[in-house]
Amino acid sequence: MTSSADPPATPDDQPGTGLRIDAERNRDRILAAARRLYASEGLGVSMAAVAREAGVGKATLSRRFTTREELVNAVFADRMDAYAAAVSTALKDPDPWHGFTGYVRTVCAMQAADRGFADVLTMTFPAALALEERRAEAYYGFLDLIARAKETGHLREDFTDRDMPILLMANAGVISAAGDAAPDAWQRLVAHMLRSYAAPGAPLAPMPGAPASAALYRAMVRLARPGGYHGGESR
């Protein structure tokens, strides 16, 4: 017998095989909202903000994703697949140096396309096992890519795998700081960094043009405003 004091059942609580249609819809809405917010604002967005954007309550969000790591893992699973696949593509390039430079540009472009993913590549999420497995897969492929590029004589011998996270951190900072005022500024940074990695005589792509002075000025004005540089939980 059910006590009259028992709370009414919600769609997520209803019995059935697998998730109910309503629960699946809620999950899809949460993921879509998180993708939008993470892409535009980075991972500093709070879980409460995601719930508001999705039009669901905090309790519904926590039933689907009990931690931020679970949500991040679900949102970025496909991007991490693409990240790992980028290494495989680079390793298949008959020119290892070209494969190396192409991989660096590809990953940095992935950061530029999604501020949330820019954050993911510069953080670790031990509880998000699937995400971290793909990160590890990409890392070991990158080690092979480095070794092959060095064998060509085009990659400096003092380049190490630790230089890539430094580049990704710098690129994430430029992407966030430049915003939509100078959205292509990251390409200039990456080109400069590839030149610093190259041994004398290594072939390099043409240097992209520098952002316009007015564009950089707008970015600097935006940074000077309170909250202009994203960081920490917001909203």
Side-chain angles (χ1 to χ4, degrees):
M1 177 179 294
T2 301
S3 169
S4 59
D6 289 341
T10 65
D12 285 0
D13 298 327
Q14 296 289 345
T17 303
L19 291 174
R20 283 176 49 85
I21 292 176
D22 287 344
E24 290 177 354
R25 286 175 179 166
N26 282 339
R27 186 178 190 277
D28 291 343
R29 289 166 64 186
I30 291 167
L31 287 175
R35 287 191 182 101
R36 287 193 299 272
L37 292 178
Y38 288 158
S40 63
E41 301 181 31
L43 296 188
V45 173
S46 68
M47 295 286 276
V50 172
R52 286 196 299 272
E53 179 75 9
V56 302
K58 294 180 181 178
T60 297
L61 175 61
S62 64
R63 276 195 293 271
R64 300 275 64 83
F65 303 99
T66 58
T67 65
R68 184 179 73 133
E69 285 75 14
E70 287 185 12
L71 180 58
V72 167
N73 189 78
V75 168
F76 294 104
D78 57 342
R79 289 165 180 78
M80 288 303 290
D81 288 344
Y83 176 56
V87 179
S88 299
T89 298
L91 288 170
K92 294 174 184 176
D93 194 314
D95 181 342
W97 170 244
H98 183 267
F100 173 85
T101 59
Y103 170 75
V104 170
R105 291 193 193 93
T106 295
V107 173
C108 289
M110 291 173 70
Q111 282 190 298
D114 188 325
R115 279 179 60 177
F117 193 62
D119 290 343
V120 166
L121 290 183
T122 58
M123 300 178 183
T124 58
F125 302 88
L129 298 182
L131 186 151
E132 292 302 325
E133 285 175 3
R134 297 301 268 166
R135 190 197 305 276
E137 179 183 334
Y139 169 71
Y140 288 115
F142 185 56
L143 291 181
D144 194 7
L145 189 60
I146 292 172
R148 295 186 187 191
K150 285 184 177 180
E151 289 175 0
T152 68
H154 294 323
L155 179 62
R156 290 172 54 127
E157 283 298 325
D158 57 358
F159 179 89
T160 79
D161 60 288
R162 295 178 297 282
D163 288 316
M164 189 65 181
I166 293 172
L167 170 58
L168 294 177
M169 290 177 189
N171 194 46
V174 169
I175 291 165
S176 179
D180 57 6
D184 297 328
W186 67 273
Q187 296 183 27
R188 184 84 172 178
L189 168 70
V190 173
H192 275 303
M193 295 305 296
L194 286 174
R195 277 162 171 70
S196 74
Y197 303 154
L204 290 162
M207 190 75 178
S213 297
L216 286 179
Y217 177 77
R218 287 196 301 273
M220 294 168 70
V221 168
R222 185 174 62 85
L223 282 174
R225 296 171 183 155
Y229 190 93
H230 89 281
E233 288 217 341
S234 61
R235 295 186 63 176

